[in-house]
Amino acid sequence: MALTTSADAPLPVGEVSRLIGGWIDRLGAVWVEGQITQLSRRPGAGVVFMTLRDPSYDISVSVTCYRQVFDAIADVVSEGARVVVHAKPEWYAPRGQLSLRAVEIRPVGIGELLIRLEQLKRTLGAEGLFAPERKKPLPFLPQLVGLVCGRASAAERDVLEVARRRWPAVRFEVRNVAVQGVHAVTQVVQAVKELDEHGHVDVIIVARGGGSVEDLLPFSDEQLIRAVAECRTPVVSAIGHEPDAPLLDLVADLRAATPTDAAKKVVPDVGEELERVQSLRDRALRTVRGLLDREERGLAHALTRPVMEHPQRMVDEREAELDALLARSRRVLGHLLDRADSELSHTRARVRSLSPAATMERGYAVLQRTDGAVVRSPEEVAEGEELRARVSEGEFTVVVGPHA
């Protein structure tokens, strides 16, 4: 039930603490999983104090238990161990502190860890976090490489030495973090996010040497997996040795077998690149020379052809052909003109033979009346009528006599 309070009618601290304790007392016992930190076993004390931490979310809660409860697992549990605790929440009113009173503690075995990791792997895989199409390609020549590793670790030394030996100009932005224990997940996640937000980091390497399943457990943590999946910068996983396979290997854009292998895959070897460049130059030179040789042979073959040895021959042949065509055209045209002239002469002779003038030259005359009408019949004229007679050499006047 909600409390009714105001600035004029506040509750005392003790009353608030008492109410909180009452609510917590109504909670039942719960099973809680976490990692033991700050274990305190005072000699002669009947109570053992410890802190149970969730490395994924950086949350801790105090746990107390009777010595006999802890003694049952004291030989297999120490600081950093993962355990499952059956406990009842308790509220310590004088200090306003929440704790868990454990009645049973069970260490989490390797088999249980592997089962949970497999379940987490299937869950994240179903979300598509391990899909190949999510993988980002690595830059050919990174100018600045982000490195997340343990302080003064062999992994850091291997990556830096191998990378600088391969490409001396490469630069690193190193983040030293805890790579195992209760603070590992929080620090690694923070380092990855910082490097991803860095404006000049081209690729991020998360490196650690080999270890047991418990040592490598932070690199299978769900919080870290999701943080890497959200990175815009390509991430390379270089955790442990070849047999080690944390979930970080699946979500990373590239999985390297070892930190040394990561340096080799991220940073190109200057010597190998120079050899590759020289090889490409030699190949290009051979190709160009081959093309030149082929073109020279083709040119030489073309120059040996008659048309190239005597280029004027083609002009001479065309000139002869043109002269022949011209002479032929002249002959044809002459024949056509001669035939046309002959036909014209014949036509003129025929026309002249059929013309009235030719008829009159043979002695005929044309009689016309004074109005110019041609006389065709004797009945058309009268006796004594004057007519005009036209002959080939001129004309004269005649008078019509009596009809015979």
Side-chain angles (χ1 to χ4, degrees), residues 272-291:
E272 293 178 358
E273 296 306 319
L274 289 176
E275 290 180 0
R276 186 175 290 109
V277 170
Q278 186 61 43
S279 175
L280 292 174
R281 291 179 62 184
D282 294 342
R283 180 181 176 184
L285 183 60
R286 290 194 301 271
T287 302
V288 172
R289 285 177 175 173
L291 290 174

Side-chain angles (χ1 to χ4, degrees), residues 307-360:
V307 70
M308 297 301 295
E309 290 184 345
H310 304 285
Q312 72 278 6
R313 177 180 298 176
M314 182 182 294
V315 177
D316 295 341
E317 292 176 353
R318 296 297 177 269
E319 184 180 11
E321 291 177 1
L322 182 60
D323 292 340
L325 290 174
L326 184 60
R328 179 181 177 185
S329 64
R330 285 175 176 172
R331 290 194 301 273
V332 171
L333 181 59
H335 293 328
L336 292 175
L337 291 176
D338 293 342
R339 187 172 64 181
D341 183 65
S342 177
E343 291 178 354
L344 180 60
S345 299
H346 286 87
T347 302
R348 287 178 60 188
R350 291 172 60 190
V351 170
R352 290 186 63 182
S353 65
L354 296 176
S355 68
T359 302
M360 287 188 293

Side-chain angles (χ1 to χ4, degrees), residues 101-117:
R101 170 70 69 171
V103 295
E104 183 180 358
I105 301 175
R106 298 179 182 179
V108 177
I110 298 299
E112 293 172 304
L113 285 176
L114 295 178
I115 292 174
R116 294 181 187 180
L117 288 179

Side-chain angles (χ1 to χ4, degrees), residues 138-142 145 159 162-168 170 172 203 205 261-270 272-273:
L138 269 61
F140 167 69
L141 181 58
V145 179
V159 171
V162 172
R164 287 168 179 163
R165 185 170 61 249
R166 292 171 63 84
W167 198 276
V170 68
F172 278 88
V203 61
I205 300 176
D261 183 52
K264 293 180 179 179
K265 290 182 176 179
V266 170
V267 180
D269 185 270
V270 63
E272 293 178 358
E273 296 306 319

Side-chain angles (χ1 to χ4, degrees), residues 21-41:
W23 293 330
I24 291 176
D25 286 340
R26 288 195 291 273
L27 296 176
V30 293
W31 286 96
V32 183
E33 181 185 356
Q35 198 169 20
I36 294 179
T37 62
Q38 300 178 358
L39 178 62
S40 176
R41 299 173 61 191

